[in-house]
Amino acid sequence: MCKTQTMRKIKTNLYKWICLAFIFFICNVATGQKDTTRILFIGNSLTYFFNLPQVVNSMAQTQGKVIITRQSTVGGSNLEQHWKGEKGTVSMKKLKEEKWDYVVLNDHSLSTIETPDVFFEYGGKFVEAIKKIGAKPVLMMTWAYKSNPLMQKKITTAFLELAKRTGAGFVPAGPLFEQVRELRPDLDLFHDDKHPSSNGTYLLGLAFYKYLTHESTSKIPFRLTTIDANNETLYLLFMNQDDANFLHQLVDDFNFLMLK
């Protein structure tokens, strides 16, 4: 083979490799975009205590996943107020101004007990609005207060009914809290009578990670960090390793049939 033919062959092969590399790059970019999940949390202090949205984001990052979380939360607010734009809420605006894959709805735990008609009305309205923008609605099934664990049965029943009526998904936060209180009463999930402690928020983060990825939580670390505005490490949560392992197993082994 002459020198000219050899050079031509080398150039042809090089061109093929460049094309293959370009295709591989494009596929990876496309896959990366597809694997990015965007979530809007709508709720109150039960959501923002110990930075639950950021905790979910951090857990995902530790597992090489991209879950972008944003929130529209106002302390003491309920879904009716979010729908009507009362109490300084801007949820309807945020719902429409960006593209979301999931929208998480959090109402008062007492709403299901004291004002069930309002709970169902505005929960249903939000689910319909979320579906219209092409996102998946997710109910954050709340928990009984520390002082009254008997609340949980009514809370669970109401959330399951709303999910059944609307086709919304749900994260069984309350039932998970209930199991921890039964199995590990020494592991305090509460900051006060109703808000989650750092332990409680870690459990919530695991539950959302499990729901969103359908993967085991066992490799999620017991210390979680994020990056602040100055590009420095900000520590979100510190867990005892044994407690974290217990919560991993609890979430991974949770039996949804018990809720039927």
Side-chain angles (χ1 to χ4, degrees):
M1 182 181 295
C2 69
K3 185 176 180 180
T4 302
Q5 290 176 320
T6 302
M7 290 301 297
R8 188 180 296 118
K9 185 174 182 180
I10 291 173
K11 289 180 179 179
T12 301
N13 289 336
L14 181 60
Y15 177 76
K16 288 180 179 179
W17 280 110
I18 291 173
C19 288
L20 287 172
F22 180 74
I23 292 170
F24 179 76
F25 172 76
I26 293 297
C27 288
N28 272 313
V29 170
T31 301
Q33 291 175 341
K34 184 178 180 181
D35 289 344
T36 298
T37 302
R38 295 181 54 83
I39 305 173
L40 174 64
F41 285 82
I42 294 176
N44 48 50
S45 55
L46 298 183
T47 295
Y48 66 64
F49 251 61
F50 290 97
N51 308 298
L52 174 60
Q54 290 78 12
V55 165
V56 174
N57 170 270
S58 178
M59 287 181 170
Q61 285 186 337
T62 68
Q63 305 306 300
K65 299 184 182 301
V66 182
I67 296 180
I68 297 172
T69 57
R70 297 290 182 266
Q71 61 182 300
S72 178
T73 52
V74 174
S77 59
N78 56 42
L79 290 181
E80 179 181 8
Q81 291 167 327
H82 280 278
W83 182 264
K84 294 179 178 179
E86 298 174 348
K87 206 171 182 178
T89 60
V90 292
S91 298
M92 299 307 293
K93 179 176 181 293
K94 287 194 173 185
L95 200 63
K96 298 173 183 177
E97 68 184 9
E98 294 187 51
K99 173 69 176 176
W100 308 107
D101 297 299
Y102 296 88
V103 179
V104 176
L105 301 173
N106 159 226
D107 208 340
H108 279 293
S109 293
L110 287 175
S111 295
T112 58
I113 299 170
E114 296 180 346
T115 56
D117 291 343
V118 177
F119 169 77
F120 285 112
E121 179 182 357
Y122 287 93
K125 286 183 175 181
F126 261 112
V127 169
E128 184 178 353
I130 292 164
K131 287 182 176 180
K132 283 184 179 180
I133 64 169
K136 183 173 178 58
V138 182
L139 308 176
M140 179 175 163
M141 186 183 288
T142 52
W143 48 89
Y145 289 178
K146 184 176 183 179
S147 59
N148 186 7
L150 296 177
M151 292 168 57
Q152 192 60 56
K153 184 176 181 180
K154 288 186 177 180
I155 294 171
T156 301
T157 299
F159 271 95
L160 287 177
E161 178 61 25
L162 180 58
K164 181 180 178 181
R165 291 184 188 182
T166 63
F170 66 88
V171 171
L176 286 168
F177 267 55
E178 187 175 40
Q179 283 197 348
V180 173
R181 297 178 74 175
E182 292 174 0
L183 299 172
R184 285 285 309 275
D186 62 301
L187 184 55
D188 196 353
L189 301 178
F190 294 88
H191 172 77
D192 48 28
D193 191 40
K194 59 184 177 181
H195 295 104
S197 64
S198 56
N199 294 332
T201 297
Y202 188 85
L203 172 59
L204 294 172
L206 294 176
F208 274 100
Y209 178 84
K210 183 72 176 182
Y211 177 86
L212 295 167
T213 68
H214 307 290
E215 294 183 2
S216 171
T217 66
S218 62
K219 294 183 180 179
I220 292 176
F222 62 98
R223 291 183 178 183
L224 296 171
T225 63
T226 188
I227 301 298
D228 67 12
N230 298 313
N231 203 36
E232 294 186 353
T233 300
L234 178 67
Y235 290 87
L236 292 170
L237 291 179
F238 293 86
M239 289 289 296
N240 174 281
Q241 180 71 77
D242 292 335
D243 293 340
N245 291 341
F246 166 74
L247 295 179
H248 292 161
Q249 184 176 354
L250 182 80
V251 170
D252 287 343
D253 294 347
F254 184 79
N255 183 8
F256 281 83
L257 293 178
M258 65 175 284
L259 300 178
K260 304 301 181 183

